[in-house]
Amino acid sequence: MSLYINEIRGVVNSEITNEFASNLGNIIGNFVRSGKKVIVGRDINDPSQMIKRSITAGILAAGIDVIDFGVAPIPTVHYGADIYNTDVLVTITASHMNPEEIDIKVFSNHEIPLTQRHAEKVSWDKVGQLSYVHDYVDKYLNAVLENTEKNVISSRAPKVVIDCANGSAVQFLPEILSRLGCDVILFGCQPTNVSTKKFAEPTPESVSLVSNLVNAVGADMGIAMDNDGDRVIFIDEKGNVIRDQTVLAILAREALIENPEGTIVSSVTASMSLDEIVSDHGGKLIKAPIDCVLDEIIKNKAVFGGDDSGMYVFPQFQECFDAIFAAVKMLEIVCKHNKTFSTLVNEIPEYPRTVFSVDCEHDEKQKVLTNLEENLKDIGEINTTEGVKMQEEDSFVLVRPSRFEPLLRVYVEAKSSGKLQKLSHDINKMM
């Protein structure tokens, strides 16, 4: 499942209208195999509900049955594919970038070209049927617990602060941790569509509040989720926010301990520390374009994979970015090793790193990247897997184009602060 993922993002009622969404649903329905159904789910936001209904109407008009999960995190929608023998899933959530935008994801195990085309509708007597289900909730909860070393966690009874951003993970993560015997302190765990609604991902303000709460109550860990359950941020027992790259390395190391000589997949933005961890534990590391991380995990039968935006995949559980399972897995690792979270973090090398953006119109991006490649080729090894990456033994620079915004993303990492400062200065001059 999820070998193909189409993502569509736009402003609600401007770029993403009900008419657009209905036609999109109709196109999706035209590519669904006979006898199959489509699962749809959404986050808590009102615009998501509106657009989901329009997409659903379009799928039904194509003669395809729809199973509506209602408000559901992306991982639980994805897990439902096996439960309901479905090979097409659609999720609708608020964009992580701009609050006025909506993000539609279409997951499928076969290619669905969503280009402009005439969508075919069936006659009135062949319209698909719509059903609402709720049993997937317990099935997902039980599956997470069955794939977790419950006794390891319950014997420690860790204290955990959770922020679910008042999103769709509220009915899942707190319940799972409670069943594992954790002492759970809830923050941002009231699903609501009124004025207390938060932005779609953890913000510096919300993470700071979680960090302060961890310190105040003496918690062992803080966990901050996004609105749709595929991204997570971790905070140690001292209230320190843990780098995504460090989390990636901790999870990868554990996966290789459990699966010697396994394959790990990350994006091209991954830290040099991940290379070292994977090498030290006898694994193989594949670095893929950001949009292809999940595909490469599936194709290479990886034992673990992740992206530097706090998104992690545990293929033995399901081939999907699953922040809920990642949170439980990290808690299991801390308890299994009988160490504090900060101790595990200190075992991972962290190199000076900076990430920034440079304004660049879409039609100028390739020209800038070509010039950069020419300027950098005599300094270090060039990789053009995504954008332009210049790698030296003790540093790297990566410049990649943003898919949706007129920006170039710049990643610079070095094993010394001096080298980082010099590279950052040089790359700014080149751009």
Side-chain angles (χ1 to χ4, degrees):
M1 189 61 196
S2 296
L3 192 57
Y4 297 95
I5 301 177
N6 284 301
E7 185 173 4
I8 301 165
R9 182 179 298 161
V11 178
V12 177
N13 278 345
S14 173
E15 297 167 321
I16 306 292
T17 62
N18 285 316
E19 181 181 11
F20 174 90
S22 178
N23 188 61
L24 175 64
N26 209 185
I27 293 173
I28 293 170
N30 289 168
F31 284 94
V32 175
R33 291 179 292 178
S34 177
K36 292 290 185 177
K37 300 178 181 181
V38 176
I39 292 177
V40 297
R42 66 174 179 93
D43 67 3
I44 197 68
N45 295 284
D46 291 336
S48 300
Q49 182 182 42
M50 179 184 74
I51 296 302
K52 186 200 71 174
R53 288 176 172 175
S54 295
I55 291 175
T56 298
I59 297 170
L60 296 174
I64 301 299
D65 293 348
V66 174
I67 301 174
D68 193 332
F69 274 28
V71 176
I74 288 177
T76 66
V77 175
H78 192 277
Y79 192 78
D82 287 337
I83 299 174
Y84 295 100
N85 189 28
T86 305
D87 53 18
V88 178
L89 316 168
V90 182
T91 63
I92 303 95
T93 63
S95 167
H96 288 189
M97 293 183 177
N98 301 298
E100 71 274 14
E101 292 183 345
I102 206 159
D103 196 1
I104 302 169
K105 289 188 177 75
V106 182
F107 302 83
S108 62
N109 62 5
H110 59 278
E111 192 168 6
I112 300 179
L114 301 180
T115 53
Q116 290 294 327
R117 63 186 293 275
H118 176 68
E120 298 177 3
K121 298 178 175 62
V122 299
S123 62
W124 68 271
D125 57 335
K126 294 182 180 178
V127 169
Q129 295 183 344
L130 173 63
S131 58
Y132 297 88
V133 297
H134 301 284
D135 59 340
Y136 73 91
V137 175
D138 281 337
K139 289 179 179 178
Y140 177 83
L141 292 174
N142 291 333
V144 172
L145 293 171
E146 288 169 4
N147 285 273
T148 303
E149 295 186 38
K150 297 184 285 294
N151 293 337
V152 168
I153 298 176
S154 61
S155 64
R156 289 281 301 274
K159 183 179 290 187
V160 186
V161 176
I162 307 172
D163 177 10
C164 291
N166 294 328
S168 53
V170 168
Q171 63 176 324
F172 293 92
L173 185 58
E175 176 66 19
I176 290 169
L177 295 189
S178 293
R179 293 189 192 184
L180 289 170
C182 300
D183 182 2
V184 184
I185 295 92
L186 304 181
F187 172 79
C189 290
Q190 296 179 337
T192 177
N193 57 4
V194 294
S195 59
T196 56
K197 188 188 312 179
K198 298 170 70 175
F199 197 56
E201 63 178 345
T203 64
E205 179 184 10
S206 66
V207 172
S208 176
L209 289 171
V210 175
S211 175
N212 292 337
L213 190 53
V214 167
N215 276 323
V217 302
D220 298 290
M221 181 184 295
I223 299 169
M225 310 280 290
D226 69 353
N227 67 318
D228 52 20
D230 64 358
R231 183 187 176 199
V232 60
I233 290 175
F234 291 99
I235 297 159
D236 72 13
E237 80 285 356
K238 298 178 180 179
N240 299 314
V241 180
I242 310 306
R243 282 185 176 188
D244 292 337
Q245 293 297 322
T246 301
V247 172
L248 185 61
I250 292 173
L251 295 173
R253 181 178 65 179
E254 193 68 21
L256 290 173
I257 292 173
E258 296 174 356
N259 304 274
E261 300 183 359
T263 297
I264 305 294
V265 175
S266 71
S267 73
V268 292
T269 63
S271 170
M272 292 181 289
S273 65
L274 183 61
D275 295 78
E276 296 170 2
I277 291 294
V278 173
S279 176
D280 289 346
H281 288 80
K284 175 185 177 183
L285 178 61
I286 295 174
K287 293 186 179 180
I290 286 179
D291 295 339
C292 300
V293 170
L294 188 55
D295 285 353
E296 292 299 320
I297 290 171
I298 297 171
K299 291 176 182 176
N300 291 281
K301 295 181 171 47
V303 298
F304 171 72
D307 199 356
D308 70 347
S309 58
M311 302 171 71
Y312 311 104
V313 182
F314 302 84
Q316 80 280 6
F317 179 60
Q318 66 165 334
E319 293 167 338
C320 171
F321 292 113
D322 191 337
I324 298 171
F325 191 79
V328 175
K329 190 65 178 178
M330 182 60 80
L331 192 59
E332 177 189 280
I333 292 170
V334 171
C335 293
K336 181 189 294 185
H337 291 276
N338 197 26
K339 298 177 180 179
T340 63
F341 198 178
S342 62
T343 299
L344 286 178
V345 168
N346 290 335
E347 293 172 355
I348 305 296
E350 290 188 348
Y351 300 123
R353 181 181 177 95
T354 185
V355 180
F356 58 91
S357 298
V358 176
D359 292 336
C360 185
E361 294 301 324
H362 293 293
D363 57 2
E364 289 292 316
K365 289 177 179 178
Q366 189 53 54
K367 178 182 177 181
V368 174
L369 291 173
T370 300
N371 289 337
L372 277 173
E373 182 178 356
E374 184 65 25
N375 290 330
L376 293 170
K377 68 180 183 181
D378 293 330
I379 301 175
E381 181 182 346
I382 299 295
N383 185 317
T384 56
T385 298
E386 182 172 17
V388 175
K389 184 175 186 180
M390 187 278 294
Q391 181 85 49
E392 296 182 89
E393 185 175 342
D394 63 346
S395 61
F396 76 80
V397 173
L398 169 66
V399 181
R400 52 172 292 271
S402 168
R403 286 185 299 158
F404 298 105
E405 298 180 284
L407 299 171
L408 291 172
R409 310 288 187 190
V410 183
Y411 305 76
V412 186
E413 183 175 286
K415 292 188 177 181
S416 70
S417 298
K419 184 66 176 284
L420 179 76
Q421 185 175 5
K422 181 180 185 305
L423 280 174
S424 300
H425 178 266
D426 291 346
I427 202 71
N428 263 314
K429 286 179 62 178
M430 292 180 192
M431 299 177 68

